[in-house]
Amino acid sequence: MDLSGKVAIITGVSKGIGRSTAEALLAKGAIVAGWGRTAPEGLEHERFQFFECDVRNEIAVQEAYTNTQRELGPEIQILVNNAGIGHFGPVDGFSSDDWHEMFDTNVHGVFYCTKAVLPQMKKQHLGHIINVASLAGTAGTANLAGYCATKYAIRGFSDALFKEVRPDGVRVTCVMPGSVETNFNGAEPGQEPDPHKMQPEDIAAAIVHALEAPQTVMISELQMRPTQPK
């Protein structure tokens, strides 16, 4: 798909992979609706508009979608479900509130946003939904049981969804990165890029690659790993 002039919704746009994806799509000529609880600092562009949205709240998602269509027009070609959080720790010492917050953001939020855009994408017979999961959706890790469970859920959701909507001309890609240097889990990226981790812009480039594939091609899953991890 030629991205020039296409409207893309990106959730979790304030930093990390979401922000890098917004910048990458803007560079390709797309119009970007950034959804998030906080606006990305310093991201000012004539084709970028921020819409406050907590994806954990279905009514907030519906309002953000209505506002996006009012401001940018009815046609939405791209949704990047990127918003996500991770709380780590042993299952028997884990806060139930943290567990629920992860599922509300990482799983239910993806459902709410997807449900919002699908009718228009089906009507257009054109659309692409990118779900940002994780390699944690392919293998379990001690002390990451809850996070892994949410990402396994997104992988399963994506696999079922692409089979459901492909007759309507809608493509679905599940992107599963390994270690990425972001603010994830409260960590601050270093001054110099960590050579043992991928950078957010690397994931954004993979998302652009999937979006730009010919309309006859659907990249259903993308697994990404650092070449030389620690």
Side-chain angles (χ1 to χ4, degrees), residues 4 11 35 46 63 75 91 116 135 185 214:
S4 182
T11 70
W35 291 11
E46 61 183 4
E63 286 178 353
E75 294 200 355
V91 168
L135 290 181
N185 200 33

Side-chain angles (χ1 to χ4, degrees), residues 78-160:
I78 298 160
L79 168 65
V80 181
N81 281 312
N82 164 72
I85 55 169
H87 298 299
F88 307 144
V91 168
D92 55 354
F94 205 79
S95 149
S96 295
D97 285 345
D98 285 350
W99 177 278
H100 284 284
E101 187 184 27
M102 274 198 298
F103 270 87
D104 286 343
T105 306
N106 300 4
V107 183
H108 305 151
V110 169
F111 166 65
Y112 299 148
C113 295
T114 301
K115 186 181 171 189
V117 304
L118 269 179
Q120 179 62 33
M121 287 186 175
K122 287 179 174 180
K123 186 176 164 188
Q124 295 163 189
H125 213 72
L126 179 74
H128 200 143
I129 296 168
I130 305 271
N131 293 328
V132 179
S134 165
L135 290 181
T138 67
T141 303
N143 296 312
L144 266 70
Y147 183 71
C148 290
T150 66
K151 295 305 185 177
Y152 266 82
I154 289 309
R155 192 181 184 190
F157 176 72
S158 301
D159 193 39

Side-chain angles (χ1 to χ4, degrees), residues 15-16 86 88 180-191 194 197 200:
K15 51 185 184 280
F88 307 144
V180 182
E181 193 170 18
T182 65
N183 296 77
F184 189 73
N185 200 33
E188 288 290 334
Q191 290 298 310
D194 185 338
K197 289 185 176 181

Side-chain angles (χ1 to χ4, degrees), residues 21-112:
T21 302
E23 290 170 346
L25 291 182
L26 289 167
K28 290 286 185 175
I31 299 157
V32 176
W35 291 11
R37 288 182 288 179
T38 53
E41 284 182 28
L43 180 53
E44 291 178 16
H45 194 287
E46 61 183 4
R47 284 183 276 104
F48 176 79
Q49 197 155 343
F50 176 74
F51 297 86
E52 191 175 333
C53 179
D54 184 342
V55 298
R56 299 174 297 179
N57 183 322
E58 186 170 13
I59 292 168
V61 168
Q62 289 167 344
E63 286 178 353
Y65 185 63
T66 300
N67 293 339
T68 299
Q69 286 189 306
R70 188 183 67 239
E71 295 293 326
L72 304 178
E75 294 200 355
I76 308 290
Q77 288 88 8
I78 298 160
L79 168 65
V80 181
N81 281 312
N82 164 72
I85 55 169
H87 298 299
F88 307 144
V91 168
D92 55 354
F94 205 79
S95 149
S96 295
D97 285 345
D98 285 350
W99 177 278
H100 284 284
E101 187 184 27
M102 274 198 298
F103 270 87
D104 286 343
T105 306
N106 300 4
V107 183
H108 305 151
V110 169
F111 166 65
Y112 299 148

Side-chain angles (χ1 to χ4, degrees), residues 205-222:
I207 289 171
V208 168
H209 170 69
L211 291 169
E212 285 188 327
Q215 189 57 31
T216 51
V217 177
M218 175 168 52
I219 299 171
S220 55
E221 287 195 341
L222 265 174

